[in-house]
Amino acid sequence: MASAVKDSRSGYGTLLRTPGAWTFLLPGFLARQPFAMLTIGIVLLVQSTTGSYGTAGAVSATTGVAMALFAPQGGKLADRFGQRAVLLPGVLVHVAGVAALITLALAHAPLWALLAVAVPTGASTPQVGPMVRARWAARLGAGPLMPTAAAFESVTDEFTFVVGPVLATALCTGIHPAAGLVAEAALTLAGGLLFAAQKRSQPAVHRPGAGELPRVSALSVPGVRVLIVAFLGIGAVFGGMQVSLTAFTQHIGQPGINGVLYGIFAGGNMLAGIACGAITWKVGPRRRLLVAYGLLALATTPLWAVTAVPLLGAVGLVVGLCIAPALITGYTLVETLVPAAARTEAFTWLTGAVALGQAAAATSAGQLADGFGPSTGFLVPLAGTALACTVLLALRAHLLPRASATGAEAAVGHLPTRAPAGVENRERELARA
């Protein structure tokens, strides 16, 4: 249930009038554009030079796994030393890694060489989205605008997934197979350096003082671990769709429409994100996440059986419409589960989970497409979301905000499994808010 859209529009307006917001929004928008170009650029380049979707998926997957494993460590360092200190060297390493990957692919280097270079390339991918979310959290706290900010950031992310794959595909198919990755590296360098220059808006660095508990990982919060599983499933949708759509359009002899179909899928995600931010919800975020995730798993069911391009575009649109509510709600729940000193790390765990799920799905879908035909790769999004939905339902109790938790409990994630009656009443109020 929701209030009138008019209220949320004023919410967007109020959000964008937050003092200092535009100093990090515009550079952050530019810096995150390459994120959606990397994996599809790798798939298109490596498939072009090797002729194998399995090999292309393996290289792309290695990049995604490295990103997923190293991104949270970068987030932890950003919380401790500041975003600029992490971003500047990361941008330079990433650009060098992309350049090396392009060179090796065009030289028809062996698979082990491509995989070796894919590791630092993925590990150094700038995590600008989580950094922007952490800046919003630092400015807004746990106020009523945070869900609006989460929706706004989800829309911005999905806009990059509309523009990025279409741009990378157009460059790779229309100019040169390496052109997509060249553009990715150039945008990473320009946008990353510009975002890093915005020192005033970055969250304050918090170092434990005398008598304070030492900083621990956001991963120690049970709710974060549940959300990681959910975001792994969402990553399976992204990775499975990218590789399967590429294989499908190649199979029917229309590779140029790959970016269009993926853009339709991502466009549905973006439209749903706008709608989610344009509503003042009366249903609690935990319930919204469970409903949205169930719908997502259901929407992925018919993908493998579709053979007509228009129908595939329509089903992809529906799948995209179901992703944004789950993403937005997951990011919103971080504000109630994780202390401020670990939020950048928490956001990077979720972003890394998407990358890891995307990597695993790209590998699986590539192998299925090579061995059993292009449509079988679409089974991967269904399997990933179904498994994650099952875990969400089983562990949903960990997603309730713990109003009774002390600062020490919140910091280390050791929260009581059963709250006092008064606190339970408060939690019910929070769930309806």
Side-chain angles (χ1 to χ4, degrees):
M1 309 296 285
S3 65
V5 173
K6 179 179 179 182
D7 293 339
S8 75
R9 286 179 178 171
S10 65
Y12 275 127
T14 303
L15 178 73
L16 296 178
R17 288 193 297 271
T18 300
W22 287 102
T23 63
F24 63 85
L25 281 183
L26 290 178
F29 178 78
L30 176 63
R32 74 175 68 184
Q33 293 307 307
F35 191 85
M37 300 173 66
L38 180 61
T39 54
I40 188 66
I42 291 174
V43 168
L44 291 171
L45 173 61
V46 176
Q47 193 279 329
S48 173
T49 58
T50 65
S52 170
Y53 289 106
T55 299
V59 178
S60 175
T62 301
T63 305
V65 170
M67 184 191 308
L69 294 178
F70 283 87
Q73 308 311 314
K76 185 181 293 186
L77 292 173
D79 283 328
R80 184 175 180 181
F81 300 107
Q83 295 180 0
R84 176 184 171 88
V86 174
L87 192 57
L88 287 176
V91 165
L92 298 178
V93 172
H94 181 73
V95 172
V98 171
L101 184 59
I102 293 172
T103 303
L104 290 173
L106 294 178
H108 300 280
L111 177 59
W112 67 264
L114 296 176
L115 296 178
V117 174
V119 172
T121 301
S124 58
T125 302
Q127 299 298 315
V128 177
M131 290 183 179
V132 173
R133 286 183 168 89
R135 295 187 186 214
W136 276 124
R139 292 199 168 250
L140 300 176
L145 281 176
M146 268 310 303
T148 306
F152 182 83
E153 288 305 310
S154 179
V155 171
T156 303
D157 282 340
E158 295 319 311
F159 182 78
T160 69
F161 279 97
V162 172
V163 174
V166 174
L167 176 60
T169 301
L171 291 171
C172 291
T173 58
I175 298 178
H176 189 276
L181 286 181
V182 171
E184 190 273 346
L187 286 172
T188 297
L189 182 63
L193 294 180
L194 185 59
F195 183 78
Q198 313 306 312
K199 295 185 290 185
R200 291 186 178 181
S201 60
Q202 71 175 355
V205 176
H206 175 78
R207 295 185 175 87
E212 291 187 49
L213 289 176
R215 184 195 307 274
V216 294
S217 173
L219 193 61
S220 62
V221 179
V224 172
R225 298 197 292 269
V226 176
L227 290 175
I228 286 173
V229 174
F231 277 55
L232 282 168
I234 292 173
V237 178
F238 286 126
M241 291 292 286
Q242 282 185 348
V243 173
S244 299
L245 286 174
T246 301
F248 178 82
T249 54
Q250 290 279 2
H251 177 72
I252 64 174
Q254 301 182 58
I257 66 171
N258 173 39
V260 176
L261 287 175
Y262 194 83
I264 292 172
F265 157 71
N269 197 351
M270 183 176 66
L271 290 175
I274 294 173
C276 286
I279 292 173
T280 302
W281 295 96
K282 294 183 179 179
V283 176
R286 185 182 66 152
R287 183 180 301 176
R288 296 204 311 269
L289 178 61
L290 295 174
V291 171
Y293 220 96
L295 292 174
L296 176 60
L298 184 63
T300 61
T301 303
L303 281 170
W304 67 274
V306 177
T307 57
V309 171
L311 185 56
L312 183 58
V315 175
L317 176 65
V318 174
V319 174
L321 288 170
C322 295
I323 289 180
L327 274 174
I328 291 168
T329 309
Y331 281 122
T332 301
L333 282 168
V334 169
E335 303 304 317
T336 65
L337 297 172
V338 182
R343 280 182 189 151
T344 303
E345 182 197 350
F347 287 132
T348 51
W349 272 113
L350 299 187
T351 303
V354 173
L356 184 58
Q358 185 173 348
T363 301
S364 301
Q367 296 294 334
L368 288 173
D370 281 344
F372 303 98
S375 295
T376 57
F378 288 116
L379 290 172
V380 174
L382 172 58
T385 53
L387 289 172
C389 189
T390 302
V391 172
L392 273 178
L393 288 171
L395 301 179
R396 61 189 181 276
H398 291 307
L399 299 177
L400 281 173
R402 299 293 183 176
S404 65
T406 65
E409 289 171 335
V412 299
H414 296 309
L415 302 178
T417 57
R418 180 73 176 174
V423 174
E424 286 185 340
N425 293 334
R426 173 58 180 158
E427 288 176 350
R428 294 190 190 101
E429 295 174 6
L430 288 169
R432 291 193 296 267

